[in-house]
Amino acid sequence: MQETRRSVLDAIADEPISGPDLAARLDVSRAAVWKHVEALREAGFEIESDDAGYRLDSVPAYGGEAIEFGLDAPLEVEYHDSLPSTNARAREFAAEGATDVAVVADEQTGGRGRLDRGWVSPPGGIWLSVLCRPDLPPAHAPILTLAAAVAATETAREAGVDARIKWPNDLLVPVADGSENGERKLAGILTEMEGEADRVSWVVIGIGINVGADGLPEGATGLLAHADMVDRRRFVQRLLERFDTLRDDPEAVLPAWREHALTIGQRVRVETSTDELVGEAVDIEFPGSLVVDTDDGPIRVHAGDCEHLRPA
Ligand code: BT5
């Protein structure tokens, strides 16, 4: 959101302030104040104006300005009612040289999973991508996927949903409805990046979290199946704030990941691009490798698809 517009909101949030006072405080013309107020009204903010001045009455339920207002993280938010894919849009920003942008959409028409799989993204879900340029070697970038998984899990848990992490990038909710393995997929993460030999140039972390149940594929679940209500604006703010803290504190990621992991201690089958192995998942190591105890000893897997096997 434009800097002055944000200042207008901050100024009128707590008590009414007159147009001239606001103009003086922000060092802009009264006409400029009026223009910002009109733009905010158009974005859905209810702004009362009477003898006492301008006063913020309500914030829109969702949208770019709504998410940015009160967001305690240095991220610009761009919102769309509908997009093919927030990752694709964030990659456009990357190509323009931008950074620290979060792209949020109400619906995706061409949502993507890993390995060219699709991601079903009906209206009303939480579909977002964060573009950043971390000071990391490309080999360490997976720690950001883990950070996103931790941030999403903790935010879902705060909202009352018992989310757990499946290596490397799924959020699951344990269910007792006869679903396969007693768990359903709540969210997924798709990380894309470009880098040089020693440094990441940009990374886009796409996070998809189901909210309602309509239109979801089999085996999926949404937040509203486990919580009475979800304030998407608040949810996205907390998610972005938590991710922002963790991206600056990689040391904190693994302990938090272990705390929320469903995979550790389970018998798993992991499919990599070249191999398949079965064993007990015993730990996660920086920057995101799963340690699997197999009949041939411990094996570290850097990337792959993991299946939780029922205990023999
Ligand atoms: C993922 O891939 O789990 C990563 C999903 C990332 C989605 C976000 S949304 C915002 C951003 N913009 C994008 O275009 N993408 C990111 P993967 O582990 O490959 O899982 C994909 C598989 O999950 C599919 O093949 C389906 O089986 C299943 N699936 C598809 N849509 C789903 C949904 N909404 N909920 C649960 N499972 C789903």
Side-chain angles (χ1 to χ4, degrees), residues 84-87 108 110-115 117-122 126-129 169-170 185-190 206-208 210 216-217 220 305:
S85 157
T86 56
N87 263 44
Q108 294 184 122
R112 290 187 290 121
R114 294 177 305 145
L115 305 170
R117 291 186 285 237
W119 182 257
V120 178
S121 319
I126 293 173
W127 325 120
L128 66 90
S129 301
N169 67 341
D170 286 354
K185 183 159 169 171
L186 175 73
I189 297 168
L190 171 67
I207 307 172
N210 300 317
L216 296 185
D305 274 320

PDB file of all heavy atoms in Angstrom, residues 84-87 108 110-115 117-122 126-129 169-170 185-190 206-208 210 216-217 220 305, ligand 1:
ATOM      1  N   PRO A  84      -4.450 -17.091 -12.440  1.00  0.00           N
ATOM      2  CA  PRO A  84      -4.082 -18.482 -12.747  1.00  0.00           C
ATOM      3  C   PRO A  84      -3.307 -19.096 -11.578  1.00  0.00           C
ATOM      4  O   PRO A  84      -3.660 -20.144 -11.058  1.00  0.00           O
ATOM      5  CB  PRO A  84      -3.217 -18.346 -13.998  1.00  0.00           C
ATOM      6  CG  PRO A  84      -3.654 -17.060 -14.631  1.00  0.00           C
ATOM      7  CD  PRO A  84      -4.041 -16.155 -13.496  1.00  0.00           C
ATOM      8  N   SER A  85      -2.243 -18.407 -11.138  1.00  0.00           N
ATOM      9  CA  SER A  85      -1.412 -18.942 -10.055  1.00  0.00           C
ATOM     10  C   SER A  85      -0.676 -17.786  -9.376  1.00  0.00           C
ATOM     11  O   SER A  85      -0.044 -16.966 -10.048  1.00  0.00           O
ATOM     12  CB  SER A  85      -0.401 -19.933 -10.633  1.00  0.00           C
ATOM     13  OG  SER A  85       0.723 -20.067  -9.785  1.00  0.00           O
ATOM     14  N   THR A  86      -0.741 -17.737  -8.049  1.00  0.00           N
ATOM     15  CA  THR A  86      -0.024 -16.660  -7.344  1.00  0.00           C
ATOM     16  C   THR A  86       1.482 -16.843  -7.501  1.00  0.00           C
ATOM     17  O   THR A  86       2.228 -15.864  -7.510  1.00  0.00           O
ATOM     18  CB  THR A  86      -0.403 -16.612  -5.849  1.00  0.00           C
ATOM     19  OG1 THR A  86      -0.161 -17.904  -5.259  1.00  0.00           O
ATOM     20  CG2 THR A  86      -1.863 -16.227  -5.657  1.00  0.00           C
ATOM     21  N   ASN A  87       1.950 -18.099  -7.635  1.00  0.00           N
ATOM     22  CA  ASN A  87       3.391 -18.299  -7.867  1.00  0.00           C
ATOM     23  C   ASN A  87       3.807 -17.676  -9.200  1.00  0.00           C
ATOM     24  O   ASN A  87       4.854 -17.037  -9.289  1.00  0.00           O
ATOM     25  CB  ASN A  87       3.736 -19.792  -7.878  1.00  0.00           C
ATOM     26  CG  ASN A  87       4.250 -20.268  -6.534  1.00  0.00           C
ATOM     27  OD1 ASN A  87       3.689 -19.909  -5.502  1.00  0.00           O
ATOM     28  ND2 ASN A  87       5.305 -21.072  -6.525  1.00  0.00           N
ATOM     29  N   GLN A 108      -7.651 -19.511  -7.612  1.00  0.00           N
ATOM     30  CA  GLN A 108      -6.673 -19.733  -8.687  1.00  0.00           C
ATOM     31  C   GLN A 108      -7.300 -20.652  -9.731  1.00  0.00           C
ATOM     32  O   GLN A 108      -7.934 -21.647  -9.391  1.00  0.00           O
ATOM     33  CB  GLN A 108      -5.414 -20.403  -8.150  1.00  0.00           C
ATOM     34  CG  GLN A 108      -4.612 -19.546  -7.181  1.00  0.00           C
ATOM     35  CD  GLN A 108      -3.315 -20.243  -6.762  1.00  0.00           C
ATOM     36  OE1 GLN A 108      -2.231 -19.723  -6.948  1.00  0.00           O
ATOM     37  NE2 GLN A 108      -3.445 -21.422  -6.203  1.00  0.00           N
ATOM     38  N   GLY A 110      -5.361 -21.881 -12.286  1.00  0.00           N
ATOM     39  CA  GLY A 110      -4.327 -22.801 -12.772  1.00  0.00           C
ATOM     40  C   GLY A 110      -3.300 -23.053 -11.682  1.00  0.00           C
ATOM     41  O   GLY A 110      -2.098 -23.005 -11.927  1.00  0.00           O
ATOM     42  N   GLY A 111      -3.795 -23.314 -10.461  1.00  0.00           N
ATOM     43  CA  GLY A 111      -2.899 -23.525  -9.316  1.00  0.00           C
ATOM     44  C   GLY A 111      -1.980 -24.715  -9.566  1.00  0.00           C
ATOM     45  O   GLY A 111      -2.389 -25.702 -10.181  1.00  0.00           O
ATOM     46  N   ARG A 112      -0.757 -24.604  -9.088  1.00  0.00           N
ATOM     47  CA  ARG A 112       0.227 -25.643  -9.361  1.00  0.00           C
ATOM     48  C   ARG A 112       0.764 -26.287  -8.095  1.00  0.00           C
ATOM     49  O   ARG A 112       0.967 -25.616  -7.074  1.00  0.00           O
ATOM     50  CB  ARG A 112       1.396 -25.057 -10.167  1.00  0.00           C
ATOM     51  CG  ARG A 112       0.956 -24.707 -11.590  1.00  0.00           C
ATOM     52  CD  ARG A 112       2.094 -24.287 -12.453  1.00  0.00           C
ATOM     53  NE  ARG A 112       2.594 -22.981 -12.028  1.00  0.00           N
ATOM     54  CZ  ARG A 112       3.841 -22.768 -11.631  1.00  0.00           C
ATOM     55  NH1 ARG A 112       4.710 -23.745 -11.587  1.00  0.00           N
ATOM     56  NH2 ARG A 112       4.216 -21.566 -11.280  1.00  0.00           N
ATOM     57  N   GLY A 113       0.969 -27.604  -8.163  1.00  0.00           N
ATOM     58  CA  GLY A 113       1.666 -28.329  -7.116  1.00  0.00           C
ATOM     59  C   GLY A 113       3.086 -28.605  -7.579  1.00  0.00           C
ATOM     60  O   GLY A 113       3.554 -28.008  -8.549  1.00  0.00           O
ATOM     61  N   ARG A 114       3.762 -29.496  -6.886  1.00  0.00           N
ATOM     62  CA  ARG A 114       5.126 -29.825  -7.291  1.00  0.00           C
ATOM     63  C   ARG A 114       5.086 -30.769  -8.502  1.00  0.00           C
ATOM     64  O   ARG A 114       4.062 -31.399  -8.781  1.00  0.00           O
ATOM     65  CB  ARG A 114       5.858 -30.503  -6.139  1.00  0.00           C
ATOM     66  CG  ARG A 114       6.071 -29.562  -4.943  1.00  0.00           C
ATOM     67  CD  ARG A 114       6.727 -30.304  -3.803  1.00  0.00           C
ATOM     68  NE  ARG A 114       5.971 -31.491  -3.441  1.00  0.00           N
ATOM     69  CZ  ARG A 114       6.515 -32.624  -3.020  1.00  0.00           C
ATOM     70  NH1 ARG A 114       7.817 -32.729  -2.910  1.00  0.00           N
ATOM     71  NH2 ARG A 114       5.756 -33.648  -2.702  1.00  0.00           N
ATOM     72  N   LEU A 115       6.206 -30.870  -9.186  1.00  0.00           N
ATOM     73  CA  LEU A 115       6.370 -31.835 -10.273  1.00  0.00           C
ATOM     74  C   LEU A 115       5.224 -31.774 -11.291  1.00  0.00           C
ATOM     75  O   LEU A 115       4.667 -32.801 -11.683  1.00  0.00           O
ATOM     76  CB  LEU A 115       6.455 -33.259  -9.699  1.00  0.00           C
ATOM     77  CG  LEU A 115       7.532 -33.494  -8.643  1.00  0.00           C
ATOM     78  CD1 LEU A 115       7.345 -34.853  -7.978  1.00  0.00           C
ATOM     79  CD2 LEU A 115       8.920 -33.391  -9.249  1.00  0.00           C
ATOM     80  N   ARG A 117       2.235 -31.144 -10.973  1.00  0.00           N
ATOM     81  CA  ARG A 117       0.898 -31.552 -10.547  1.00  0.00           C
ATOM     82  C   ARG A 117       0.043 -30.294 -10.389  1.00  0.00           C
ATOM     83  O   ARG A 117       0.560 -29.193 -10.284  1.00  0.00           O
ATOM     84  CB  ARG A 117       0.985 -32.322  -9.230  1.00  0.00           C
ATOM     85  CG  ARG A 117       1.658 -33.682  -9.426  1.00  0.00           C
ATOM     86  CD  ARG A 117       1.609 -34.513  -8.166  1.00  0.00           C
ATOM     87  NE  ARG A 117       2.562 -34.048  -7.184  1.00  0.00           N
ATOM     88  CZ  ARG A 117       3.525 -34.819  -6.649  1.00  0.00           C
ATOM     89  NH1 ARG A 117       3.643 -36.085  -6.992  1.00  0.00           N
ATOM     90  NH2 ARG A 117       4.351 -34.333  -5.754  1.00  0.00           N
ATOM     91  N   GLY A 118      -1.267 -30.479 -10.362  1.00  0.00           N
ATOM     92  CA  GLY A 118      -2.150 -29.324 -10.222  1.00  0.00           C
ATOM     93  C   GLY A 118      -2.487 -29.078  -8.758  1.00  0.00           C
ATOM     94  O   GLY A 118      -2.266 -29.939  -7.899  1.00  0.00           O
ATOM     95  N   TRP A 119      -3.002 -27.885  -8.479  1.00  0.00           N
ATOM     96  CA  TRP A 119      -3.472 -27.570  -7.131  1.00  0.00           C
ATOM     97  C   TRP A 119      -4.860 -26.950  -7.262  1.00  0.00           C
ATOM     98  O   TRP A 119      -5.007 -25.883  -7.865  1.00  0.00           O
ATOM     99  CB  TRP A 119      -2.522 -26.611  -6.413  1.00  0.00           C
ATOM    100  CG  TRP A 119      -2.957 -26.325  -5.015  1.00  0.00           C
ATOM    101  CD1 TRP A 119      -3.583 -25.190  -4.579  1.00  0.00           C
ATOM    102  CD2 TRP A 119      -2.846 -27.189  -3.888  1.00  0.00           C
ATOM    103  NE1 TRP A 119      -3.851 -25.303  -3.234  1.00  0.00           N
ATOM    104  CE2 TRP A 119      -3.411 -26.520  -2.785  1.00  0.00           C
ATOM    105  CE3 TRP A 119      -2.320 -28.478  -3.693  1.00  0.00           C
ATOM    106  CZ2 TRP A 119      -3.468 -27.088  -1.511  1.00  0.00           C
ATOM    107  CZ3 TRP A 119      -2.375 -29.030  -2.423  1.00  0.00           C
ATOM    108  CH2 TRP A 119      -2.939 -28.340  -1.350  1.00  0.00           C
ATOM    109  N   VAL A 120      -5.847 -27.633  -6.774  1.00  0.00           N
ATOM    110  CA  VAL A 120      -7.232 -27.183  -6.866  1.00  0.00           C
ATOM    111  C   VAL A 120      -7.430 -26.008  -5.903  1.00  0.00           C
ATOM    112  O   VAL A 120      -7.137 -26.126  -4.714  1.00  0.00           O
ATOM    113  CB  VAL A 120      -8.183 -28.348  -6.494  1.00  0.00           C
ATOM    114  CG1 VAL A 120      -9.625 -27.892  -6.535  1.00  0.00           C
ATOM    115  CG2 VAL A 120      -7.954 -29.535  -7.419  1.00  0.00           C
ATOM    116  N   SER A 121      -7.895 -24.867  -6.416  1.00  0.00           N
ATOM    117  CA  SER A 121      -7.915 -23.642  -5.612  1.00  0.00           C
ATOM    118  C   SER A 121      -9.229 -22.889  -5.757  1.00  0.00           C
ATOM    119  O   SER A 121      -9.293 -21.827  -6.377  1.00  0.00           O
ATOM    120  CB  SER A 121      -6.777 -22.717  -6.057  1.00  0.00           C
ATOM    121  OG  SER A 121      -5.583 -23.419  -6.306  1.00  0.00           O
ATOM    122  N   PRO A 122     -10.325 -23.440  -5.195  1.00  0.00           N
ATOM    123  CA  PRO A 122     -11.630 -22.777  -5.355  1.00  0.00           C
ATOM    124  C   PRO A 122     -11.681 -21.432  -4.621  1.00  0.00           C
ATOM    125  O   PRO A 122     -10.854 -21.182  -3.737  1.00  0.00           O
ATOM    126  CB  PRO A 122     -12.606 -23.779  -4.716  1.00  0.00           C
ATOM    127  CG  PRO A 122     -11.783 -24.622  -3.812  1.00  0.00           C
ATOM    128  CD  PRO A 122     -10.400 -24.660  -4.397  1.00  0.00           C
ATOM    129  N   ILE A 126      -7.134 -19.898   0.859  1.00  0.00           N
ATOM    130  CA  ILE A 126      -5.985 -19.026   1.112  1.00  0.00           C
ATOM    131  C   ILE A 126      -4.881 -19.455   0.159  1.00  0.00           C
ATOM    132  O   ILE A 126      -4.268 -20.508   0.323  1.00  0.00           O
ATOM    133  CB  ILE A 126      -5.536 -19.126   2.588  1.00  0.00           C
ATOM    134  CG1 ILE A 126      -6.620 -18.546   3.493  1.00  0.00           C
ATOM    135  CG2 ILE A 126      -4.202 -18.407   2.800  1.00  0.00           C
ATOM    136  CD1 ILE A 126      -6.381 -18.738   4.974  1.00  0.00           C
ATOM    137  N   TRP A 127      -4.697 -18.659  -0.879  1.00  0.00           N
ATOM    138  CA  TRP A 127      -3.699 -18.975  -1.913  1.00  0.00           C
ATOM    139  C   TRP A 127      -2.765 -17.791  -1.989  1.00  0.00           C
ATOM    140  O   TRP A 127      -3.182 -16.681  -2.333  1.00  0.00           O
ATOM    141  CB  TRP A 127      -4.367 -19.224  -3.278  1.00  0.00           C
ATOM    142  CG  TRP A 127      -5.711 -19.903  -3.218  1.00  0.00           C
ATOM    143  CD1 TRP A 127      -6.895 -19.409  -3.678  1.00  0.00           C
ATOM    144  CD2 TRP A 127      -6.012 -21.204  -2.673  1.00  0.00           C
ATOM    145  NE1 TRP A 127      -7.903 -20.309  -3.447  1.00  0.00           N
ATOM    146  CE2 TRP A 127      -7.397 -21.419  -2.833  1.00  0.00           C
ATOM    147  CE3 TRP A 127      -5.250 -22.199  -2.056  1.00  0.00           C
ATOM    148  CZ2 TRP A 127      -8.038 -22.588  -2.399  1.00  0.00           C
ATOM    149  CZ3 TRP A 127      -5.885 -23.360  -1.621  1.00  0.00           C
ATOM    150  CH2 TRP A 127      -7.257 -23.544  -1.805  1.00  0.00           C
ATOM    151  N   LEU A 128      -1.504 -17.997  -1.625  1.00  0.00           N
ATOM    152  CA  LEU A 128      -0.588 -16.860  -1.621  1.00  0.00           C
ATOM    153  C   LEU A 128       0.835 -17.293  -1.924  1.00  0.00           C
ATOM    154  O   LEU A 128       1.202 -18.458  -1.730  1.00  0.00           O
ATOM    155  CB  LEU A 128      -0.656 -16.107  -0.296  1.00  0.00           C
ATOM    156  CG  LEU A 128      -0.174 -16.816   0.967  1.00  0.00           C
ATOM    157  CD1 LEU A 128       1.305 -16.575   1.190  1.00  0.00           C
ATOM    158  CD2 LEU A 128      -0.945 -16.294   2.176  1.00  0.00           C
ATOM    159  N   SER A 129       1.629 -16.330  -2.401  1.00  0.00           N
ATOM    160  CA  SER A 129       3.033 -16.575  -2.696  1.00  0.00           C
ATOM    161  C   SER A 129       3.855 -15.401  -2.193  1.00  0.00           C
ATOM    162  O   SER A 129       3.484 -14.247  -2.398  1.00  0.00           O
ATOM    163  CB  SER A 129       3.259 -16.715  -4.202  1.00  0.00           C
ATOM    164  OG  SER A 129       2.491 -17.780  -4.708  1.00  0.00           O
ATOM    165  N   ASN A 169       6.499 -30.921   2.698  1.00  0.00           N
ATOM    166  CA  ASN A 169       5.799 -29.640   2.533  1.00  0.00           C
ATOM    167  C   ASN A 169       4.292 -29.726   2.663  1.00  0.00           C
ATOM    168  O   ASN A 169       3.599 -28.842   2.191  1.00  0.00           O
ATOM    169  CB  ASN A 169       6.139 -29.059   1.148  1.00  0.00           C
ATOM    170  CG  ASN A 169       5.559 -29.914   0.044  1.00  0.00           C
ATOM    171  OD1 ASN A 169       5.234 -31.076   0.276  1.00  0.00           O
ATOM    172  ND2 ASN A 169       5.383 -29.370  -1.130  1.00  0.00           N
ATOM    173  N   ASP A 170       3.784 -30.767   3.267  1.00  0.00           N
ATOM    174  CA  ASP A 170       2.325 -30.865   3.382  1.00  0.00           C
ATOM    175  C   ASP A 170       1.878 -30.593   4.809  1.00  0.00           C
ATOM    176  O   ASP A 170       2.544 -30.975   5.755  1.00  0.00           O
ATOM    177  CB  ASP A 170       1.857 -32.292   3.057  1.00  0.00           C
ATOM    178  CG  ASP A 170       1.920 -32.601   1.571  1.00  0.00           C
ATOM    179  OD1 ASP A 170       2.221 -31.690   0.795  1.00  0.00           O
ATOM    180  OD2 ASP A 170       1.652 -33.759   1.224  1.00  0.00           O
ATOM    181  N   LYS A 185      -5.221 -33.878   3.735  1.00  0.00           N
ATOM    182  CA  LYS A 185      -4.303 -32.779   3.388  1.00  0.00           C
ATOM    183  C   LYS A 185      -5.010 -31.430   3.487  1.00  0.00           C
ATOM    184  O   LYS A 185      -6.008 -31.181   2.819  1.00  0.00           O
ATOM    185  CB  LYS A 185      -3.739 -33.006   1.978  1.00  0.00           C
ATOM    186  CG  LYS A 185      -2.717 -31.974   1.542  1.00  0.00           C
ATOM    187  CD  LYS A 185      -1.836 -32.499   0.420  1.00  0.00           C
ATOM    188  CE  LYS A 185      -0.991 -31.407  -0.198  1.00  0.00           C
ATOM    189  NZ  LYS A 185       0.019 -31.907  -1.142  1.00  0.00           N
ATOM    190  N   LEU A 186      -4.464 -30.577   4.328  1.00  0.00           N
ATOM    191  CA  LEU A 186      -5.009 -29.239   4.552  1.00  0.00           C
ATOM    192  C   LEU A 186      -4.314 -28.208   3.666  1.00  0.00           C
ATOM    193  O   LEU A 186      -4.950 -27.253   3.209  1.00  0.00           O
ATOM    194  CB  LEU A 186      -4.790 -28.855   6.028  1.00  0.00           C
ATOM    195  CG  LEU A 186      -5.186 -27.448   6.444  1.00  0.00           C
ATOM    196  CD1 LEU A 186      -6.709 -27.326   6.501  1.00  0.00           C
ATOM    197  CD2 LEU A 186      -4.589 -27.095   7.806  1.00  0.00           C
ATOM    198  N   ALA A 187      -3.024 -28.405   3.441  1.00  0.00           N
ATOM    199  CA  ALA A 187      -2.256 -27.360   2.748  1.00  0.00           C
ATOM    200  C   ALA A 187      -1.033 -27.949   2.078  1.00  0.00           C
ATOM    201  O   ALA A 187      -0.563 -29.031   2.448  1.00  0.00           O
ATOM    202  CB  ALA A 187      -1.813 -26.297   3.761  1.00  0.00           C
ATOM    203  N   GLY A 188      -0.535 -27.219   1.084  1.00  0.00           N
ATOM    204  CA  GLY A 188       0.693 -27.621   0.397  1.00  0.00           C
ATOM    205  C   GLY A 188       1.540 -26.393   0.107  1.00  0.00           C
ATOM    206  O   GLY A 188       1.046 -25.259   0.101  1.00  0.00           O
ATOM    207  N   ILE A 189       2.805 -26.635  -0.126  1.00  0.00           N
ATOM    208  CA  ILE A 189       3.752 -25.541  -0.358  1.00  0.00           C
ATOM    209  C   ILE A 189       4.566 -25.850  -1.609  1.00  0.00           C
ATOM    210  O   ILE A 189       5.043 -26.972  -1.780  1.00  0.00           O
ATOM    211  CB  ILE A 189       4.691 -25.363   0.861  1.00  0.00           C
ATOM    212  CG1 ILE A 189       3.852 -24.978   2.088  1.00  0.00           C
ATOM    213  CG2 ILE A 189       5.755 -24.298   0.599  1.00  0.00           C
ATOM    214  CD1 ILE A 189       4.602 -25.050   3.381  1.00  0.00           C
ATOM    215  N   LEU A 190       4.700 -24.845  -2.451  1.00  0.00           N
ATOM    216  CA  LEU A 190       5.490 -24.992  -3.674  1.00  0.00           C
ATOM    217  C   LEU A 190       6.547 -23.900  -3.709  1.00  0.00           C
ATOM    218  O   LEU A 190       6.216 -22.722  -3.801  1.00  0.00           O
ATOM    219  CB  LEU A 190       4.589 -24.863  -4.912  1.00  0.00           C
ATOM    220  CG  LEU A 190       5.321 -24.788  -6.252  1.00  0.00           C
ATOM    221  CD1 LEU A 190       6.021 -26.104  -6.568  1.00  0.00           C
ATOM    222  CD2 LEU A 190       4.352 -24.431  -7.376  1.00  0.00           C
ATOM    223  N   GLY A 206       5.140 -20.566  -2.413  1.00  0.00           N
ATOM    224  CA  GLY A 206       3.686 -20.574  -2.606  1.00  0.00           C
ATOM    225  C   GLY A 206       3.035 -21.446  -1.556  1.00  0.00           C
ATOM    226  O   GLY A 206       3.443 -22.586  -1.344  1.00  0.00           O
ATOM    227  N   ILE A 207       2.039 -20.887  -0.890  1.00  0.00           N
ATOM    228  CA  ILE A 207       1.359 -21.620   0.181  1.00  0.00           C
ATOM    229  C   ILE A 207      -0.128 -21.682  -0.158  1.00  0.00           C
ATOM    230  O   ILE A 207      -0.753 -20.648  -0.409  1.00  0.00           O
ATOM    231  CB  ILE A 207       1.547 -20.904   1.539  1.00  0.00           C
ATOM    232  CG1 ILE A 207       3.044 -20.652   1.808  1.00  0.00           C
ATOM    233  CG2 ILE A 207       0.923 -21.721   2.671  1.00  0.00           C
ATOM    234  CD1 ILE A 207       3.321 -19.795   3.030  1.00  0.00           C
ATOM    235  N   GLY A 208      -0.672 -22.876  -0.182  1.00  0.00           N
ATOM    236  CA  GLY A 208      -2.104 -23.043  -0.429  1.00  0.00           C
ATOM    237  C   GLY A 208      -2.745 -23.715   0.766  1.00  0.00           C
ATOM    238  O   GLY A 208      -2.320 -24.798   1.171  1.00  0.00           O
ATOM    239  N   ASN A 210      -6.495 -24.849   2.291  1.00  0.00           N
ATOM    240  CA  ASN A 210      -7.930 -24.985   2.043  1.00  0.00           C
ATOM    241  C   ASN A 210      -8.710 -24.381   3.201  1.00  0.00           C
ATOM    242  O   ASN A 210      -8.343 -24.552   4.364  1.00  0.00           O
ATOM    243  CB  ASN A 210      -8.303 -26.460   1.924  1.00  0.00           C
ATOM    244  CG  ASN A 210      -7.573 -27.147   0.781  1.00  0.00           C
ATOM    245  OD1 ASN A 210      -7.458 -26.587  -0.302  1.00  0.00           O
ATOM    246  ND2 ASN A 210      -7.085 -28.349   1.023  1.00  0.00           N
ATOM    247  N   LEU A 216     -13.034 -29.415  -3.235  1.00  0.00           N
ATOM    248  CA  LEU A 216     -11.721 -30.000  -2.925  1.00  0.00           C
ATOM    249  C   LEU A 216     -11.639 -31.438  -3.422  1.00  0.00           C
ATOM    250  O   LEU A 216     -12.644 -32.147  -3.460  1.00  0.00           O
ATOM    251  CB  LEU A 216     -11.472 -29.995  -1.417  1.00  0.00           C
ATOM    252  CG  LEU A 216     -11.372 -28.636  -0.733  1.00  0.00           C
ATOM    253  CD1 LEU A 216     -10.995 -28.824   0.733  1.00  0.00           C
ATOM    254  CD2 LEU A 216     -10.356 -27.753  -1.437  1.00  0.00           C
ATOM    255  N   PRO A 217     -10.449 -31.873  -3.783  1.00  0.00           N
ATOM    256  CA  PRO A 217     -10.294 -33.268  -4.215  1.00  0.00           C
ATOM    257  C   PRO A 217     -10.405 -34.233  -3.028  1.00  0.00           C
ATOM    258  O   PRO A 217     -10.348 -33.815  -1.869  1.00  0.00           O
ATOM    259  CB  PRO A 217      -8.896 -33.306  -4.812  1.00  0.00           C
ATOM    260  CG  PRO A 217      -8.165 -32.156  -4.239  1.00  0.00           C
ATOM    261  CD  PRO A 217      -9.187 -31.120  -3.888  1.00  0.00           C
ATOM    262  N   ALA A 220      -8.694 -34.372   0.803  1.00  0.00           N
ATOM    263  CA  ALA A 220      -8.357 -33.018   1.259  1.00  0.00           C
ATOM    264  C   ALA A 220      -9.292 -32.611   2.396  1.00  0.00           C
ATOM    265  O   ALA A 220     -10.372 -33.183   2.569  1.00  0.00           O
ATOM    266  CB  ALA A 220      -8.495 -32.034   0.101  1.00  0.00           C
ATOM    267  N   ASP A 305       8.793 -37.563  -2.538  1.00  0.00           N
ATOM    268  CA  ASP A 305       7.417 -37.674  -2.059  1.00  0.00           C
ATOM    269  C   ASP A 305       7.393 -38.712  -0.961  1.00  0.00           C
ATOM    270  O   ASP A 305       7.950 -39.789  -1.109  1.00  0.00           O
ATOM    271  CB  ASP A 305       6.501 -38.140  -3.199  1.00  0.00           C
ATOM    272  CG  ASP A 305       6.018 -36.968  -4.032  1.00  0.00           C
ATOM    273  OD1 ASP A 305       5.705 -35.923  -3.434  1.00  0.00           O
ATOM    274  OD2 ASP A 305       5.967 -37.110  -5.265  1.00  0.00           O
TER     275      ASP A 305
HETATM  276  C1  BT5 B   1       1.746 -29.204  -3.199  1.00  0.00           C
HETATM  277  O1  BT5 B   1       2.146 -29.971  -4.257  1.00  0.00           O
HETATM  278  O2  BT5 B   1       1.216 -29.609  -2.198  1.00  0.00           O
HETATM  279  C2  BT5 B   1       2.031 -27.724  -3.397  1.00  0.00           C
HETATM  280  C3  BT5 B   1       0.774 -26.916  -3.513  1.00  0.00           C
HETATM  281  C4  BT5 B   1       1.080 -25.432  -3.558  1.00  0.00           C
HETATM  282  C5  BT5 B   1      -0.150 -24.615  -3.834  1.00  0.00           C
HETATM  283  C6  BT5 B   1       0.119 -23.139  -3.696  1.00  0.00           C
HETATM  284  S1  BT5 B   1      -1.335 -22.196  -3.739  1.00  0.00           S
HETATM  285  C7  BT5 B   1      -0.461 -20.738  -3.905  1.00  0.00           C
HETATM  286  C8  BT5 B   1       0.688 -21.036  -4.840  1.00  0.00           C
HETATM  287  N1  BT5 B   1       0.302 -20.865  -6.231  1.00  0.00           N
HETATM  288  C9  BT5 B   1       0.360 -22.032  -6.907  1.00  0.00           C
HETATM  289  O3  BT5 B   1       0.082 -22.166  -8.120  1.00  0.00           O
HETATM  290  N2  BT5 B   1       0.746 -23.019  -6.094  1.00  0.00           N
HETATM  291  C10 BT5 B   1       1.025 -22.536  -4.761  1.00  0.00           C
HETATM  292  P1  BT5 B   1       2.161 -31.538  -4.234  1.00  0.00           P
HETATM  293  O4  BT5 B   1       2.859 -32.016  -2.991  1.00  0.00           O
HETATM  294  O5  BT5 B   1       2.718 -31.892  -5.553  1.00  0.00           O
HETATM  295  O6  BT5 B   1       0.661 -31.975  -4.127  1.00  0.00           O
HETATM  296  C11 BT5 B   1      -0.212 -31.858  -5.236  1.00  0.00           C
HETATM  297  C12 BT5 B   1      -1.283 -32.920  -5.093  1.00  0.00           C
HETATM  298  O7  BT5 B   1      -2.157 -32.588  -4.013  1.00  0.00           O
HETATM  299  C13 BT5 B   1      -2.188 -33.045  -6.311  1.00  0.00           C
HETATM  300  O8  BT5 B   1      -1.659 -33.924  -7.250  1.00  0.00           O
HETATM  301  C14 BT5 B   1      -3.494 -33.573  -5.714  1.00  0.00           C
HETATM  302  O9  BT5 B   1      -3.388 -34.953  -5.512  1.00  0.00           O
HETATM  303  C15 BT5 B   1      -3.503 -32.942  -4.343  1.00  0.00           C
HETATM  304  N3  BT5 B   1      -4.303 -31.705  -4.304  1.00  0.00           N
HETATM  305  C16 BT5 B   1      -4.594 -30.841  -5.309  1.00  0.00           C
HETATM  306  N4  BT5 B   1      -5.298 -29.797  -4.851  1.00  0.00           N
HETATM  307  C17 BT5 B   1      -5.454 -29.991  -3.523  1.00  0.00           C
HETATM  308  C18 BT5 B   1      -6.075 -29.255  -2.490  1.00  0.00           C
HETATM  309  N5  BT5 B   1      -6.665 -28.082  -2.696  1.00  0.00           N
HETATM  310  N6  BT5 B   1      -6.043 -29.782  -1.238  1.00  0.00           N
HETATM  311  C19 BT5 B   1      -5.435 -30.938  -0.975  1.00  0.00           C
HETATM  312  N7  BT5 B   1      -4.839 -31.682  -1.913  1.00  0.00           N
HETATM  313  C20 BT5 B   1      -4.828 -31.216  -3.178  1.00  0.00           C
END
